[in-house]
Amino acid sequence: MSTPAQDTSPEVDTRAEATRWLGTVLGLSAWAMFFAALVFAVGWYRMREAWPSPRVPTWGLCLTGLLLVAGSVALHLGSRREGRRPLWTTWGVWTAGLGFLALQAMWMHQAWWTEYLRIPESGVPASAFHGLTALHALHVLGVEVGLFACCWRHLRGADARASWRTWSLGWHFVTVTWVFLFVAVYLP
């Protein structure tokens, strides 16, 4: 019994890529609404009571987020190139993501063990700080895994342009989300 031949025409590839892109945009939109709801909840709480400092340096949290912003700029500049994406840029962005995760872990560790910003003793601000920081870091970790897979496929000679665009969009998503997180939770 023979199997039907698969259509591998460029038109089918284009439609499949457009479908993947639409799915990614819809998925990220759903996550954006989820994060927006959490940020509004924090904002509602901040209007009711004084919001204490997260007890870690705000400048340190700001510099940590600049790694995400720098990665977004590098990915945007890389997307303007024709042909294969520059591999060193993607590895650089991936390394910046690892730096971001390490610094966020350090700030959470400092807040918990040195500054005694603990759950549940420190109330809603501690829950917002640790919960939203960890949730955001998990998203960054997911994008890191995707970028690593993209780089790995690129090294093996595969065409990873569609995957690269998808994970770049994910990187921009976590960058924008971090800006809202910084304003809503980290600023005193």
Side-chain angles (χ1 to χ4, degrees):
M1 184 171 165
S2 65
T3 58
Q6 292 185 344
D7 188 4
T8 58
S9 65
E11 182 181 329
V12 172
D13 288 344
T14 303
R15 273 189 284 154
E17 185 179 333
T19 302
R20 281 193 298 268
W21 181 258
L22 178 63
T24 301
V25 169
L26 290 176
L28 290 178
S29 298
W31 276 111
M33 287 187 275
F34 175 70
F35 271 106
L38 292 174
V39 166
F40 279 118
V42 170
W44 177 79
Y45 187 83
R46 288 182 74 144
M47 287 190 303
R48 296 183 60 197
E49 295 184 21
W51 189 260
S53 166
R55 302 180 193 171
V56 293
T58 306
W59 61 266
L61 292 166
C62 184
L63 289 178
T64 303
L66 287 180
L67 290 171
L68 291 179
V69 173
S72 275
V73 170
L75 288 173
H76 176 70
L77 293 176
S79 70
R80 299 175 70 148
R81 293 177 55 125
E82 293 294 326
R84 294 171 66 105
R85 304 295 183 237
L87 189 59
W88 63 270
T89 302
T90 309
W91 280 116
V93 170
W94 184 77
T95 305
L98 286 183
F100 174 83
L101 290 173
L103 288 172
Q104 286 292 79
M106 180 189 76
W107 296 128
M108 287 181 69
H109 177 83
Q110 180 180 344
W112 186 278
W113 292 108
T114 307
E115 305 298 332
Y116 302 103
L117 185 66
R118 295 183 178 170
I119 302 171
E121 295 90 2
S122 300
V124 172
S127 299
F129 177 80
H130 290 293
L132 289 177
T133 300
L135 184 64
H136 181 261
L138 284 175
H139 284 78
V140 174
L141 183 63
V143 172
E144 284 284 289
V145 170
L147 279 178
F148 181 81
C150 184
C151 289
W152 184 256
R153 290 182 59 218
H154 185 83
L155 279 177
R156 296 176 57 97
D159 184 11
R161 285 179 292 185
S163 176
W164 190 88
R165 281 192 294 272
T166 301
W167 291 110
S168 295
L169 187 62
W171 185 278
H172 297 315
F173 169 76
V174 294
T175 302
V176 171
T177 306
W178 178 86
V179 171
F180 285 104
L181 178 67
F182 182 80
V183 171
V185 178
Y186 298 157
L187 287 180

